[in-house]
Amino acid sequence: MEKRSNKYSLTLSLKEYANGETEPAKELGIEFDNHDEIFGIIEKIKDKNLFENPHEATQFALGLKLFSEIKLKHRNNPLFDELNEVFPIFMKKLKSM
């Protein structure tokens, strides 16, 4: 039986370069699946008040979910060897906060 997952679309737009320029404009759109409902995860992270800025909580939650889904799909990749030992500890700590 195939696991069902949520389907997402994400658009990233570069609004302004560090030097103040706005050209050339850049945009990247991706579609991806994730087993979690990411909007709920974002709200849970915001509710934990781990960061003073709620936008940072959103960035953290989104980055974590994008990263962790790839790590989960490729858990046997040698790139993740060291993380496979500590990542569950990190996630338990985060969930307990």
Side-chain angles (χ1 to χ4, degrees):
M1 176 192 256
E2 182 180 333
K3 282 189 175 183
R4 298 193 47 95
S5 60
N6 300 298
K7 299 187 181 314
Y8 294 93
S9 175
L10 178 68
T11 302
L12 178 67
S13 302
L14 178 61
K15 297 297 184 185
E16 183 177 314
Y17 290 86
N19 66 4
E21 297 289 325
T22 57
E23 297 293 332
K26 291 185 179 180
E27 190 167 280
L28 170 70
I30 61 169
E31 293 185 4
F32 61 96
D33 297 340
N34 195 289
H35 69 277
D36 285 321
E37 198 282 292
I38 296 176
F39 290 98
I41 301 288
I42 290 170
E43 289 307 312
K44 285 180 183 178
I45 296 294
K46 284 181 177 179
D47 290 346
K48 291 179 183 286
N49 293 315
L50 300 173
F51 310 102
E52 291 180 21
N53 184 331
H55 296 297
E56 289 179 352
T58 300
Q59 291 173 54
F60 173 76
L62 185 56
L64 181 63
K65 290 312 305 168
L66 289 170
F67 173 77
S68 63
E69 191 74 8
I70 295 298
K71 190 191 98 37
L72 185 63
K73 287 179 183 176
H74 300 278
R75 68 176 60 109
N76 294 325
N77 186 317
L79 176 65
F80 299 117
D81 284 350
E82 291 81 8
L83 288 175
N84 287 335
E85 295 178 28
V86 297
F87 199 75
I89 297 166
F90 168 78
M91 289 304 295
K92 286 178 186 173
K93 181 178 180 179
L94 175 62
K95 289 177 181 182
S96 73
M97 297 180 102

XYZ file of all heavy atoms in Angstrom:
801
model
N 0.840 -1.178 0.000
C 0.000 0.000 0.000
C 0.889 1.248 0.000
O 1.792 1.363 0.812
C -0.908 -0.013 1.228
C -1.745 1.238 1.348
S -2.543 1.376 2.946
C -4.193 0.938 2.521
N 0.606 2.150 -0.886
C 1.402 3.376 -1.004
C 0.993 4.377 0.074
O -0.197 4.576 0.323
C 1.178 3.986 -2.390
C 1.987 5.222 -2.637
C 1.732 5.800 -4.025
O 1.376 5.035 -4.930
O 1.891 7.016 -4.173
N 1.984 4.962 0.716
C 1.707 5.986 1.723
C 1.200 7.247 1.023
O 1.731 7.658 0.001
C 2.971 6.336 2.508
C 3.332 5.343 3.552
C 4.449 5.890 4.407
C 4.757 4.964 5.541
N 5.784 5.507 6.411
N 0.220 7.849 1.612
C -0.306 9.098 1.072
C 0.456 10.261 1.696
O 0.893 10.188 2.826
C -1.793 9.205 1.344
C -2.561 8.074 0.653
C -4.040 8.275 0.627
N -4.490 9.570 0.208
C -4.845 9.902 -1.045
N -4.750 9.019 -2.005
N -5.291 11.106 -1.323
N 0.618 11.308 0.916
C 1.319 12.475 1.436
C 0.632 13.740 0.945
O -0.125 13.722 -0.028
C 2.784 12.457 1.012
O 2.891 12.472 -0.387
N 0.896 14.806 1.654
C 0.377 16.114 1.265
C 1.213 16.652 0.112
O 2.422 16.443 0.072
C 0.446 17.080 2.455
C -0.375 16.570 3.617
O -1.572 16.411 3.506
N 0.280 16.288 4.728
N 0.579 17.347 -0.801
C 1.268 17.908 -1.961
C 1.309 19.429 -1.819
O 0.302 20.060 -1.530
C 0.549 17.502 -3.239
C 0.535 15.989 -3.409
C -0.002 15.558 -4.733
C -0.037 14.055 -4.872
N 1.113 13.339 -4.473
N 2.502 19.970 -2.010
C 2.734 21.401 -1.815
C 3.349 22.037 -3.049
O 3.994 21.363 -3.845
C 3.684 21.633 -0.631
C 3.097 21.231 0.691
C 3.305 19.954 1.205
C 2.329 22.123 1.425
C 2.755 19.578 2.412
C 1.780 21.748 2.637
C 1.999 20.482 3.126
O 1.452 20.111 4.321
N 3.164 23.331 -3.141
C 3.822 24.146 -4.152
C 4.430 25.332 -3.412
O 3.782 25.947 -2.557
C 2.790 24.631 -5.171
O 3.397 25.509 -6.090
N 5.674 25.632 -3.725
C 6.392 26.711 -3.043
C 7.054 27.602 -4.082
O 7.683 27.101 -5.016
C 7.455 26.114 -2.113
C 8.342 27.085 -1.335
C 7.516 27.818 -0.289
C 9.472 26.322 -0.668
N 6.907 28.904 -3.918
C 7.562 29.868 -4.801
C 8.477 30.743 -3.967
O 8.063 31.297 -2.948
C 6.528 30.753 -5.529
O 5.646 29.906 -6.265
C 7.208 31.732 -6.466
N 9.726 30.840 -4.398
C 10.716 31.676 -3.735
C 11.107 32.789 -4.698
O 11.515 32.522 -5.826
C 11.946 30.837 -3.371
C 13.108 31.566 -2.697
C 12.694 32.050 -1.309
C 14.304 30.642 -2.604
N 10.957 34.019 -4.254
C 11.287 35.174 -5.091
C 12.366 36.007 -4.421
O 12.270 36.299 -3.231
C 10.059 36.064 -5.296
O 9.008 35.349 -5.877
N 13.370 36.383 -5.185
C 14.399 37.295 -4.697
C 13.871 38.708 -4.882
O 13.639 39.151 -6.009
C 15.707 37.097 -5.466
C 16.852 38.026 -5.097
C 17.245 37.850 -3.633
C 18.043 37.772 -5.987
N 13.639 39.409 -3.797
C 13.048 40.754 -3.857
C 14.086 41.853 -3.996
O 13.859 42.847 -4.657
C 12.194 41.019 -2.607
C 11.010 40.101 -2.473
C 10.059 40.301 -3.622
C 8.822 39.450 -3.459
N 7.938 39.516 -4.603
N 15.228 41.670 -3.308
C 16.273 42.700 -3.366
C 17.603 42.080 -2.988
O 17.697 41.322 -2.025
C 15.947 43.842 -2.399
C 16.925 44.984 -2.448
C 16.529 46.122 -1.518
O 15.335 46.508 -1.518
O 17.403 46.605 -0.776
N 18.622 42.401 -3.762
C 19.978 41.942 -3.477
C 20.558 42.740 -2.304
O 20.067 43.817 -1.960
C 20.868 42.117 -4.712
C 20.515 41.170 -5.838
C 19.527 41.497 -6.765
C 21.166 39.952 -5.968
C 19.192 40.632 -7.798
C 20.835 39.077 -7.004
C 19.852 39.427 -7.908
O 19.529 38.560 -8.922
N 21.620 42.243 -1.716
C 22.258 42.896 -0.572
C 22.729 44.307 -0.913
O 22.787 45.174 -0.046
C 23.430 42.057 -0.063
N 23.054 44.536 -2.180
C 23.525 45.875 -2.590
C 22.386 46.827 -2.926
O 22.628 47.942 -3.382
C 24.493 45.755 -3.766
C 23.825 45.244 -5.032
O 22.617 45.031 -5.081
N 24.621 45.015 -6.059
N 21.141 46.408 -2.719
C 19.990 47.265 -2.965
C 19.375 47.112 -4.349
O 18.289 47.624 -4.596
N 20.059 46.444 -5.240
C 19.533 46.252 -6.598
C 18.339 45.293 -6.579
O 18.251 44.413 -5.717
C 20.616 45.686 -7.522
C 21.815 46.597 -7.705
C 21.508 47.822 -8.543
O 20.700 47.718 -9.491
O 22.074 48.889 -8.245
N 17.457 45.465 -7.537
C 16.303 44.576 -7.655
C 16.314 43.788 -8.964
O 15.435 42.969 -9.201
C 14.990 45.376 -7.572
O 14.985 46.375 -8.589
C 14.841 46.021 -6.201
N 17.282 44.044 -9.808
C 17.417 43.327 -11.082
C 18.763 42.622 -11.128
O 19.744 43.150 -10.600
C 17.311 44.314 -12.255
C 15.973 45.013 -12.366
C 14.823 44.083 -12.726
O 15.071 43.047 -13.384
O 13.689 44.372 -12.334
N 18.903 41.480 -11.698
C 17.818 40.751 -12.358
C 16.944 40.033 -11.330
O 17.421 39.502 -10.329
C 18.558 39.734 -13.227
C 19.841 39.487 -12.510
C 20.182 40.801 -11.839
N 15.649 40.038 -11.601
C 14.697 39.354 -10.734
C 14.908 37.851 -10.861
O 15.258 37.358 -11.928
C 13.274 39.726 -11.119
N 14.740 37.155 -9.768
C 14.863 35.697 -9.779
C 13.677 35.096 -9.047
O 13.205 35.652 -8.054
C 16.158 35.244 -9.110
C 17.399 35.588 -9.888
C 18.629 34.991 -9.229
C 19.867 35.329 -10.052
N 21.070 34.776 -9.438
N 13.231 33.957 -9.547
C 12.141 33.247 -8.904
C 12.317 31.754 -9.154
O 12.757 31.344 -10.225
C 10.795 33.724 -9.452
C 9.617 33.221 -8.666
C 8.340 33.936 -9.024
O 8.134 35.068 -8.516
O 7.555 33.384 -9.817
N 11.976 30.985 -8.153
C 12.081 29.536 -8.226
C 10.783 28.945 -7.702
O 10.308 29.334 -6.629
C 13.251 29.051 -7.360
C 13.379 27.557 -7.129
C 13.802 26.869 -8.417
C 14.380 27.271 -6.027
N 10.201 28.040 -8.444
C 8.993 27.356 -8.001
C 9.247 25.865 -7.946
O 9.847 25.305 -8.860
N 8.828 25.239 -6.858
C 8.975 23.788 -6.742
C 7.662 23.189 -6.240
O 6.871 23.852 -5.557
C 10.130 23.372 -5.794
C 9.893 23.891 -4.370
C 11.464 23.844 -6.323
C 10.842 23.300 -3.337
N 7.461 21.943 -6.584
C 6.365 21.164 -6.030
C 6.986 19.990 -5.297
O 7.990 19.433 -5.741
C 5.429 20.690 -7.130
C 4.692 21.840 -7.781
C 3.658 21.384 -8.802
O 3.453 20.164 -8.970
O 3.054 22.272 -9.420
N 6.410 19.628 -4.159
C 6.969 18.539 -3.360
C 5.882 17.902 -2.508
O 4.810 18.478 -2.310
C 8.129 19.040 -2.483
C 7.733 20.099 -1.486
C 7.430 19.761 -0.177
C 7.683 21.442 -1.852
C 7.076 20.732 0.741
C 7.332 22.421 -0.939
C 7.031 22.059 0.359
N 6.176 16.710 -2.035
C 5.291 15.983 -1.127
C 5.907 15.985 0.261
O 7.128 16.022 0.407
C 5.130 14.525 -1.561
C 4.486 14.388 -2.924
O 3.826 15.328 -3.376
O 4.643 13.315 -3.531
N 5.058 15.932 1.267
C 5.534 15.803 2.642
C 4.475 15.061 3.428
O 3.275 15.308 3.253
C 5.802 17.177 3.257
C 6.626 17.085 4.512
O 6.148 16.624 5.531
N 7.874 17.522 4.432
N 4.903 14.155 4.293
C 3.945 13.368 5.065
C 3.252 14.199 6.145
O 2.191 13.824 6.627
C 4.615 12.127 5.671
C 5.598 12.430 6.750
N 6.901 12.793 6.493
C 5.452 12.419 8.099
C 7.520 12.991 7.645
N 6.672 12.770 8.626
N 3.824 15.332 6.514
C 3.217 16.197 7.532
C 2.405 17.321 6.896
O 2.653 17.726 5.764
C 4.302 16.833 8.410
C 4.895 15.866 9.400
O 4.138 15.051 9.952
O 6.114 15.924 9.626
N 1.471 17.846 7.672
C 0.729 19.037 7.262
C 1.563 20.226 7.750
O 1.585 20.543 8.940
C -0.673 19.007 7.889
C -1.667 19.942 7.222
C -1.476 21.382 7.640
O -1.736 21.682 8.809
O -1.053 22.196 6.800
N 2.308 20.827 6.846
C 3.345 21.806 7.199
C 2.773 23.067 7.834
O 3.380 23.634 8.742
C 4.222 22.126 5.974
C 4.972 20.852 5.553
C 5.209 23.248 6.277
C 5.813 21.002 4.297
N 1.589 23.491 7.424
C 1.021 24.700 8.022
C 0.762 24.490 9.521
O 0.983 25.394 10.330
C -0.256 25.114 7.288
C 0.004 25.634 5.905
C -0.152 24.802 4.812
C 0.425 26.937 5.699
C 0.104 25.266 3.519
C 0.687 27.409 4.419
C 0.526 26.572 3.328
N 0.332 23.298 9.890
C 0.143 22.979 11.307
C 1.459 22.964 12.065
O 1.532 23.439 13.202
N 2.505 22.443 11.434
C 3.836 22.425 12.052
C 4.324 23.855 12.287
O 4.862 24.177 13.350
C 4.852 21.669 11.164
C 4.404 20.222 10.923
C 6.261 21.751 11.734
C 4.521 19.307 12.097
N 4.134 24.712 11.299
C 4.543 26.122 11.435
C 3.849 26.756 12.637
O 4.487 27.433 13.450
C 4.268 26.904 10.136
C 5.226 26.442 9.034
C 4.376 28.417 10.371
C 4.892 26.980 7.646
N 2.561 26.524 12.774
C 1.822 27.102 13.899
C 2.315 26.542 15.235
O 2.442 27.293 16.208
C 0.314 26.870 13.740
C -0.302 27.694 12.634
C 0.003 29.186 12.735
O -0.155 29.765 13.841
O 0.399 29.778 11.711
N 2.618 25.257 15.292
C 3.131 24.660 16.532
C 4.470 25.280 16.918
O 4.717 25.562 18.090
C 3.291 23.151 16.372
C 1.994 22.396 16.393
C 2.227 20.904 16.224
C 0.916 20.149 16.169
N 1.101 18.709 15.949
N 5.346 25.496 15.932
C 6.652 26.111 16.210
C 6.462 27.550 16.674
O 7.116 27.999 17.632
C 7.574 26.042 14.963
C 7.890 24.597 14.590
C 8.849 26.855 15.183
C 8.721 23.833 15.587
N 5.556 28.283 16.039
C 5.281 29.659 16.475
C 4.766 29.676 17.911
O 5.161 30.521 18.716
C 4.251 30.319 15.557
C 4.786 30.762 14.231
C 3.675 31.428 13.427
C 4.149 31.970 12.119
N 3.062 32.586 11.338
N 3.871 28.729 18.226
C 3.282 28.676 19.567
C 4.313 28.371 20.647
O 4.126 28.731 21.802
C 2.174 27.622 19.624
C 0.939 28.023 18.826
O 0.804 29.210 18.447
O 0.102 27.133 18.560
N 5.410 27.721 20.295
C 6.462 27.395 21.261
C 7.297 28.619 21.639
O 8.049 28.576 22.602
C 7.377 26.297 20.709
C 6.709 24.938 20.594
C 7.653 23.921 20.012
C 6.993 22.579 19.812
N 6.763 21.836 21.046
N 7.205 29.698 20.855
C 7.965 30.925 21.115
C 9.457 30.657 21.268
O 10.106 31.171 22.182
C 7.431 31.650 22.352
C 6.044 32.199 22.133
O 5.751 32.796 21.096
N 5.161 31.978 23.086
N 9.996 29.832 20.377
C 11.428 29.521 20.417
C 12.276 30.690 19.932
O 13.449 30.805 20.280
C 11.721 28.293 19.542
C 11.012 27.004 19.942
C 11.249 25.929 18.891
C 11.493 26.550 21.304
N 11.681 31.538 19.123
C 12.386 32.675 18.536
C 11.561 33.930 18.793
O 10.336 33.878 18.840
C 12.565 32.467 17.024
C 13.148 31.118 16.680
C 12.348 30.095 16.217
C 14.512 30.876 16.838
C 12.881 28.844 15.909
C 15.047 29.631 16.532
C 14.228 28.616 16.066
N 12.240 35.057 18.966
C 11.521 36.303 19.220
C 10.683 36.729 18.022
O 9.626 37.318 18.176
C 12.506 37.419 19.574
C 13.180 37.217 20.914
C 14.152 38.335 21.248
O 14.036 39.432 20.672
O 15.033 38.097 22.084
N 11.171 36.429 16.830
C 10.512 36.851 15.611
C 9.680 35.687 15.040
O 10.236 34.640 14.717
C 11.585 37.284 14.604
C 11.019 37.832 13.322
O 9.936 37.470 12.883
N 11.778 38.711 12.698
N 8.358 35.857 14.894
C 7.534 34.763 14.367
C 7.896 34.380 12.926
O 7.693 33.244 12.520
C 6.106 35.292 14.452
C 6.209 36.740 14.685
C 7.561 37.018 15.267
N 8.469 35.325 12.168
C 8.918 34.998 10.808
C 10.083 34.009 10.855
O 10.201 33.145 9.984
C 9.326 36.257 10.038
C 8.186 37.194 9.803
N 7.088 36.861 9.050
C 7.972 38.454 10.229
C 6.244 37.872 9.020
N 6.752 38.856 9.730
N 10.932 34.118 11.870
C 12.025 33.161 12.021
C 11.491 31.781 12.376
O 12.042 30.767 11.938
C 13.024 33.649 13.076
C 13.829 34.843 12.610
C 14.806 35.344 13.657
O 14.767 34.876 14.819
O 15.615 36.219 13.312
N 10.423 31.729 13.145
C 9.798 30.446 13.468
C 9.274 29.790 12.191
O 9.425 28.576 12.006
C 8.670 30.648 14.480
N 8.691 30.583 11.311
C 8.201 30.066 10.035
C 9.354 29.567 9.183
O 9.292 28.466 8.615
C 7.408 31.147 9.277
O 6.296 31.559 10.073
C 6.918 30.643 7.932
N 10.427 30.345 9.095
C 11.602 29.935 8.324
C 12.173 28.632 8.867
O 12.510 27.718 8.108
C 12.685 31.015 8.381
C 12.354 32.284 7.644
C 13.417 33.344 7.895
O 14.606 33.107 7.681
N 12.997 34.490 8.371
N 12.287 28.552 10.189
C 12.833 27.359 10.827
C 11.972 26.139 10.525
O 12.478 25.084 10.120
C 12.942 27.588 12.339
C 13.342 26.371 13.111
C 14.660 25.932 13.095
C 12.403 25.657 13.845
C 15.035 24.796 13.806
C 12.775 24.528 14.548
C 14.087 24.096 14.530
N 10.667 26.265 10.735
C 9.760 25.134 10.532
C 9.771 24.682 9.072
O 9.848 23.477 8.795
C 8.337 25.514 10.958
N 9.723 25.618 8.157
C 9.720 25.269 6.739
C 11.034 24.605 6.329
O 11.041 23.564 5.671
C 9.459 26.513 5.895
C 9.306 26.302 4.400
C 8.208 25.310 4.091
C 9.041 27.633 3.725
N 12.155 25.188 6.750
C 13.455 24.607 6.432
C 13.623 23.222 7.033
O 14.111 22.303 6.375
N 13.179 23.063 8.262
C 13.294 21.774 8.941
C 12.473 20.708 8.231
O 12.938 19.590 8.015
C 12.850 21.907 10.400
C 12.927 20.655 11.254
C 14.369 20.177 11.385
C 12.323 20.937 12.626
N 11.254 21.042 7.852
C 10.396 20.061 7.188
C 10.924 19.708 5.802
O 10.889 18.543 5.411
C 8.948 20.555 7.095
C 8.230 20.601 8.417
C 8.380 19.330 9.244
C 7.971 18.084 8.523
N 8.344 16.826 9.181
N 11.415 20.682 5.052
C 11.986 20.388 3.734
C 13.214 19.494 3.885
O 13.370 18.494 3.177
C 12.344 21.680 3.004
C 11.162 22.515 2.507
C 11.650 23.875 2.027
C 10.405 21.793 1.420
N 14.081 19.851 4.810
C 15.301 19.079 5.032
C 15.002 17.675 5.551
O 15.516 16.681 5.037
C 16.221 19.819 6.014
C 17.407 19.008 6.427
C 18.484 18.844 5.577
C 17.433 18.384 7.666
C 19.578 18.074 5.955
C 18.518 17.618 8.047
C 19.594 17.455 7.188
N 14.167 17.592 6.569
C 13.948 16.300 7.213
C 13.237 15.307 6.296
O 13.475 14.099 6.392
C 13.193 16.464 8.539
O 11.909 17.000 8.326
N 12.400 15.782 5.405
C 11.733 14.866 4.476
C 12.743 14.248 3.509
O 12.687 13.050 3.225
C 10.627 15.603 3.709
C 9.722 14.688 2.934
C 8.731 13.904 3.798
O 8.620 14.148 5.014
O 8.053 13.019 3.237
N 13.676 15.052 3.019
C 14.723 14.528 2.130
C 15.623 13.566 2.901
O 15.976 12.493 2.414
C 15.551 15.673 1.508
C 14.666 16.518 0.594
C 16.775 15.144 0.772
C 14.076 15.759 -0.585
N 15.981 13.940 4.139
C 16.822 13.066 4.955
C 16.124 11.738 5.195
O 16.741 10.674 5.127
C 17.154 13.743 6.290
C 18.224 13.018 7.090
C 18.324 13.549 8.490
C 17.596 12.757 9.506
N 17.572 11.312 9.400
N 14.841 11.772 5.440
C 14.073 10.554 5.670
C 14.031 9.676 4.408
O 14.223 8.464 4.479
C 12.655 10.917 6.111
C 11.724 9.795 6.511
C 12.260 9.060 7.721
C 10.343 10.353 6.808
N 13.796 10.291 3.262
C 13.731 9.537 2.004
C 15.076 8.917 1.632
O 15.132 7.896 0.964
C 13.274 10.448 0.867
C 11.817 10.799 0.915
C 11.444 11.728 -0.225
C 9.990 12.145 -0.132
N 9.647 13.118 -1.172
N 16.160 9.552 2.058
C 17.506 9.108 1.691
C 18.330 8.737 2.924
O 19.528 8.977 2.973
C 18.212 10.207 0.882
C 17.480 10.553 -0.369
N 17.596 9.814 -1.517
C 16.600 11.550 -0.636
C 16.837 10.345 -2.454
N 16.212 11.395 -1.941
N 17.684 8.136 3.898
C 18.344 7.845 5.179
C 19.567 6.964 5.041
O 20.448 6.994 5.892
C 17.359 7.242 6.166
C 16.872 5.853 5.792
C 15.964 5.272 6.860
N 14.796 6.099 7.051
C 13.565 5.770 6.690
N 13.330 4.608 6.137
N 12.564 6.581 6.908
N 19.650 6.178 3.991
C 20.813 5.302 3.804
C 21.947 5.968 3.032
O 22.997 5.356 2.834
C 20.394 4.008 3.105
C 19.465 3.185 3.974
O 19.606 3.158 5.194
N 18.508 2.527 3.367
N 21.763 7.194 2.623
C 22.813 7.936 1.940
C 23.915 8.251 2.959
O 23.634 8.772 4.048
C 22.235 9.229 1.356
C 23.214 10.003 0.516
O 24.374 10.146 0.877
N 22.740 10.528 -0.595
N 25.168 7.956 2.642
C 26.271 8.216 3.580
C 26.362 9.679 4.030
O 26.893 9.951 5.102
C 27.523 7.820 2.800
C 27.048 6.918 1.720
C 25.632 7.314 1.412
N 25.815 10.588 3.250
C 25.831 12.003 3.633
C 25.168 12.216 4.993
O 25.570 13.084 5.765
C 25.110 12.838 2.566
C 24.947 14.317 2.843
C 26.308 15.017 2.897
C 24.061 14.962 1.789
N 24.178 11.400 5.303
C 23.405 11.589 6.526
C 23.837 10.694 7.688
O 23.179 10.683 8.733
C 21.913 11.369 6.237
C 21.358 12.326 5.223
C 20.856 11.849 4.023
C 21.341 13.686 5.447
C 20.344 12.716 3.075
C 20.840 14.569 4.511
C 20.341 14.086 3.317
N 24.924 9.962 7.533
C 25.341 9.013 8.571
C 25.398 9.629 9.965
O 24.816 9.096 10.909
C 26.698 8.390 8.238
C 26.616 7.330 7.153
O 25.491 6.927 6.782
O 27.681 6.929 6.657
N 26.090 10.728 10.120
C 26.241 11.346 11.445
C 24.908 11.912 11.949
O 24.604 11.842 13.141
C 27.299 12.450 11.427
C 28.720 11.950 11.234
C 29.083 11.660 9.780
O 28.286 11.983 8.873
O 30.158 11.079 9.553
N 24.121 12.465 11.041
C 22.847 13.049 11.443
C 21.838 11.993 11.879
O 20.980 12.270 12.725
C 22.251 13.883 10.301
C 22.956 15.198 10.017
C 22.357 15.861 8.794
C 22.865 16.119 11.215
N 21.916 10.812 11.301
C 20.965 9.756 11.655
C 21.028 9.412 13.133
O 20.037 8.960 13.707
C 21.192 8.510 10.796
C 20.736 8.702 9.369
O 19.869 9.521 9.091
N 21.328 7.947 8.468
N 22.165 9.640 13.765
C 22.310 9.359 15.189
C 21.759 10.483 16.061
O 21.145 10.222 17.088
C 23.779 9.122 15.531
C 24.356 7.888 14.870
C 25.831 7.703 15.191
O 26.267 8.157 16.257
O 26.531 7.096 14.363
N 21.967 11.720 15.667
C 21.601 12.847 16.527
C 20.265 13.492 16.169
O 19.652 14.143 17.012
C 22.707 13.925 16.545
C 23.993 13.374 17.143
C 22.948 14.502 15.171
N 19.805 13.312 14.955
C 18.569 13.979 14.532
C 17.355 13.550 15.356
O 16.557 14.411 15.764
C 18.333 13.771 13.034
C 17.378 14.757 12.444
C 17.777 16.067 12.202
C 16.090 14.383 12.120
C 16.897 16.982 11.664
C 15.207 15.303 11.578
C 15.611 16.598 11.348
N 17.194 12.258 15.655
C 16.054 11.875 16.509
C 16.107 12.529 17.894
O 15.063 12.896 18.446
C 16.181 10.353 16.615
C 16.958 9.948 15.413
C 17.907 11.080 15.150
N 17.289 12.707 18.427
C 17.447 13.375 19.727
C 17.004 14.830 19.619
O 16.276 15.346 20.468
C 18.903 13.272 20.219
C 19.280 11.808 20.437
C 19.123 14.098 21.485
C 20.764 11.557 20.605
N 17.446 15.490 18.543
C 17.056 16.878 18.304
C 15.540 17.007 18.178
O 14.921 17.885 18.776
C 17.760 17.399 17.036
C 17.224 18.703 16.549
C 17.579 19.886 17.163
C 16.352 18.754 15.464
C 17.086 21.110 16.715
C 15.858 19.954 15.011
C 16.222 21.130 15.638
N 14.924 16.102 17.409
C 13.466 16.182 17.194
C 12.708 15.932 18.493
O 11.711 16.599 18.757
C 13.043 15.188 16.112
C 13.501 15.573 14.706
S 12.950 17.220 14.180
C 11.177 16.964 14.122
N 13.169 15.002 19.316
C 12.515 14.762 20.607
C 12.622 15.999 21.488
O 11.655 16.358 22.181
C 13.121 13.546 21.306
C 12.704 12.235 20.705
C 13.376 11.069 21.395
C 13.044 9.779 20.652
N 13.792 8.638 21.174
N 13.781 16.637 21.469
C 13.960 17.859 22.263
C 13.019 18.955 21.775
O 12.350 19.622 22.577
C 15.411 18.330 22.163
C 15.706 19.578 22.958
C 17.177 19.952 22.856
C 17.480 21.198 23.651
N 18.922 21.557 23.566
N 12.943 19.132 20.467
C 12.060 20.149 19.901
C 10.602 19.876 20.265
O 9.879 20.794 20.686
C 12.229 20.189 18.371
C 11.290 21.116 17.599
C 11.493 22.564 18.027
C 11.523 20.955 16.107
N 10.171 18.647 20.138
C 8.783 18.303 20.432
C 8.445 18.437 21.908
O 7.289 18.683 22.271
C 8.484 16.884 19.943
C 8.438 16.792 18.434
C 8.228 15.379 17.967
C 8.216 15.303 16.449
N 7.978 13.945 15.961
N 9.445 18.311 22.788
C 9.200 18.404 24.220
C 9.154 19.848 24.721
O 8.759 20.085 25.861
C 10.254 17.626 24.999
O 11.498 18.310 24.974
N 9.573 20.765 23.900
C 9.616 22.176 24.332
C 8.236 22.817 24.272
O 7.387 22.457 23.552
C 10.602 22.964 23.475
C 12.015 22.457 23.631
S 13.192 23.369 22.639
C 13.882 24.401 23.905
